[in-house]
């Protein structure tokens, strides 16, 4: 009798294990689950592409710096007390200027070529 109870219990345990395994596999193959898996993999692939692009940009910056040093194009660092000159002011800050061959007529606000 113990022998039958042992095999009965073993059979029930194997059946529960197999049923659980099949149900988990079927749940993984539902459309919603497949969509979530695809989205997760797309996010992971996007992160990998971003990391690759950052590595490439970093490598390009290092290579550019090495080439500039090799060609002597790197700008010398300014002295601690040395002030750099300011950049050129934009044209808009200087006011609107018209070319010499155009005149501005204030009565009808049109430009006319002066020949």
């Amino acid at each position: 009798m113990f022998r039958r109870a042992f095999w009965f219990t073993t059979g029930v345990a194997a059946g529960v294990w197999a049923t659980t395994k099949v149900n988990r596999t079927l749940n993984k193959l539902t459309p919603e689950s497949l969509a979530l898996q695809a989205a997760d993999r797309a996010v992971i692939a996007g992160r990998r592409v971003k990391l690759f692009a950052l590595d490439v940009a970093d490598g390009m910056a290092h290579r550019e710096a090495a080439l500039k040093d090799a060609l002597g194009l790197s700008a010398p660092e300014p002295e601690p007390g040395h002030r750099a000159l300011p950049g050129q002011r934009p044209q808009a800050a200087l006011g609107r200027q018209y070319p010499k061959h155009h005149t501005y007529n204030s009565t009808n606000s049109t430009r006319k070529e002066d020949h």
Side-chain angles (χ1 to χ4, degrees), residues 61-78:
H62 286 298
R63 182 63 177 151
E64 183 178 355
L67 287 173
K68 282 184 178 181
D69 287 342
L71 295 174
L73 297 176
S74 58
E77 299 205 12

Side-chain angles (χ1 to χ4, degrees), residues 83-99:
R83 287 180 39 189
L85 294 175
Q88 184 178 5
R89 293 188 344 186
Q91 191 70 6
L94 300 175
R96 185 159 175 99
Q97 297 178 358
Y98 294 100

Side-chain angles (χ1 to χ4, degrees), residues 11-79:
V12 169
V16 169
W17 176 80
T19 303
T20 305
K21 187 85 166 170
V22 168
N23 283 335
R24 284 183 184 167
T25 304
L26 288 177
N27 286 336
K28 286 182 183 178
L29 296 176
T30 61
E32 295 85 15
S33 178
L34 291 175
L36 286 175
Q37 289 175 12
D40 288 342
R41 289 182 180 163
V43 168
I44 291 170
R47 288 181 185 156
R48 287 180 181 169
V49 168
K50 182 179 178 181
L51 288 175
F52 175 73
L54 290 173
D55 286 344
V56 169
D58 189 41
M60 286 173 40
H62 286 298
R63 182 63 177 151
E64 183 178 355
L67 287 173
K68 282 184 178 181
D69 287 342
L71 295 174
L73 297 176
S74 58
E77 299 205 12
E79 298 172 8

